[in-house]
Amino acid sequence: MAGSATGDGASAQDNELGLFLRSRREALTPAAAGLPTGPRRRTPGLRRSELATLAGVSVEYLTRMEQGRDRHPSAAVLSALGEALRLTPRERVHLNRLVKAMTPGFTCRGSLESNRLVRPAVRAVLDQLEPAPAAVLNRLGEVLACTDGYRRLVGPTGQLDQGLPAAFLRYLFTDPRARTVYPDWEHKADKAVATLKQGPYRQDPLVVALIDELTVTVGAEFTRRLATVPGLPDTNGTVRMTHPEAGLLRLAYERLELSADDDQHILIHLPADDATATALDALIGRRPGGLRAVAGGSPVAG
């Protein structure tokens, strides 16, 4: 499997903590961290020495963590790193889960089977979301139930050709139509892999089985992302779609988590501009104005 080696020879696939810390450090600018921005910086984001100073740890200790040679930082160190890196609450939870995942025998999954049963109450909520394109997905990214609006939106793209449950990740990486449907395919693929990798994913046999399948059927396009993209669920943003019938669409999306017992979430798409709202109304067959554009839609994020 593709992956860069760390300082002690550990592969990237078993150094998710180091990968996450390094990616967050490189994404944080000195200005955002409250540091002066000097000329001739060769490192994107913060240097290790700068982060170490902000978090109150030694550069050597931070290096060991990023290289996977120290995988059990204390709660105080995690809190200090979270503050120094300006992590969001979601990112801080993820950071703590990565450390928990290093504990032998730890798992946060209550079942070894992917939950494909959608409760009646959740289906009733889905019905109330019409005409918006919305779907219930499980941790494997399988579409378990959806609104008619969702079927009208993604059906012509081939995503539901195999019926429900429909595995979005498999479609994205193995169906040639996906690269046409998603003009920002590279970014969309990064987001999809990051979502698959959330939490202690390598202790989830179902996720590992899907990873093994895509490693064989897709190869480097998938394994490269697995080794280099930090795991974090894609919760909201704006995605571009080139629809076979409706043309170019800009869709704002939101991920709404259901209870931990469900192990599922609802994904809702809304038009991000007036042109998309008009196109969706025609596609779904609703009266004009049935779906209104989301004011101040966010930039394309996958």
Side-chain angles (χ1 to χ4, degrees):
M1 180 178 295
S4 60
T6 58
D8 63 339
S11 64
Q13 71 176 13
D14 58 9
N15 186 26
E16 290 296 326
L17 175 62
L19 174 62
F20 182 72
L21 288 174
R22 188 170 62 254
S23 70
R24 297 304 92 188
R25 173 172 63 82
E26 292 176 350
L28 183 65
T29 65
L35 298 175
T37 304
R40 301 173 61 182
R41 294 182 65 91
R42 287 186 273 176
T43 304
L46 296 184
R47 300 184 179 100
R48 277 180 179 161
S49 59
E50 291 170 331
L51 176 57
T53 298
L54 289 172
V57 300
S58 70
V59 176
E60 293 76 14
Y61 183 55
L62 180 59
T63 301
R64 291 200 306 272
M65 290 181 63
E66 288 193 359
Q67 292 180 345
R69 293 185 287 123
D70 192 314
R71 305 180 180 212
H72 300 284
S74 67
V77 168
L78 291 180
S79 179
L81 286 170
E83 288 293 328
L85 289 169
R86 306 294 197 269
L87 297 185
T88 65
R90 177 171 60 101
E91 290 171 331
R92 294 181 192 222
V93 169
H94 179 68
L95 179 61
N96 279 270
R97 284 178 175 170
L98 288 177
V99 175
K100 275 287 187 183
M102 306 295 179
T103 304
F106 171 79
T107 178
C108 62
R109 301 300 183 192
S111 171
L112 295 181
E113 296 183 1
S114 180
N115 187 8
R116 291 174 172 168
L117 179 64
V118 180
R119 292 186 290 112
V122 175
R123 288 186 180 274
V125 170
L126 204 60
D127 290 341
Q128 295 300 311
L129 293 175
E130 295 281 12
V136 178
L137 295 87
N138 60 15
R139 69 179 184 263
L140 296 179
E142 295 176 329
V143 177
L144 308 177
C146 61
T147 62
D148 288 340
Y150 188 87
R151 288 184 183 276
R152 298 282 184 105
L153 173 65
V154 307
T157 71
Q159 295 183 38
L160 303 180
D161 281 1
Q162 304 303 313
L164 300 184
F168 176 74
L169 204 67
R170 190 176 292 116
Y171 165 82
L172 187 66
F173 278 97
T174 66
D175 194 318
R177 292 172 291 184
R179 293 176 184 263
T180 299
V181 170
Y182 295 102
D184 305 299
W185 185 90
E186 295 282 344
H187 193 62
K188 185 70 173 175
D190 287 348
K191 291 287 190 178
V193 171
T195 299
L196 183 68
K197 288 177 61 177
Q198 62 181 298
Y201 72 101
R202 288 197 174 276
Q203 296 187 27
D204 187 327
L206 293 173
V207 172
V208 170
L210 181 57
I211 286 173
D212 289 344
E213 174 195 329
L214 295 177
T215 296
V216 173
T217 59
V218 179
E221 282 273 34
F222 176 72
T223 58
R224 172 173 56 83
R225 288 178 167 83
L226 195 69
T228 59
V229 175
L232 202 61
D234 183 18
T235 56
N236 58 75
T238 304
V239 61
R240 293 196 304 163
M241 287 182 66
T242 304
H243 196 274
E245 299 173 8
L248 184 62
L249 304 174
R250 291 184 66 252
L251 297 160
Y253 62 90
E254 289 287 338
R255 171 178 168 137
L256 307 180
E257 298 290 344
L258 297 175
S259 76
D261 291 337
D262 288 314
D263 200 11
Q264 297 168 352
H265 64 274
I266 295 177
L267 185 66
I268 306 173
H269 290 82
L270 295 170
D273 55 39
D274 291 336
T276 299
T278 300
L280 280 183
D281 280 341
L283 186 67
I284 295 172
R286 293 285 179 137
R287 61 178 174 79
L291 288 172
R292 296 182 180 178
V294 176
S298 56
V300 172

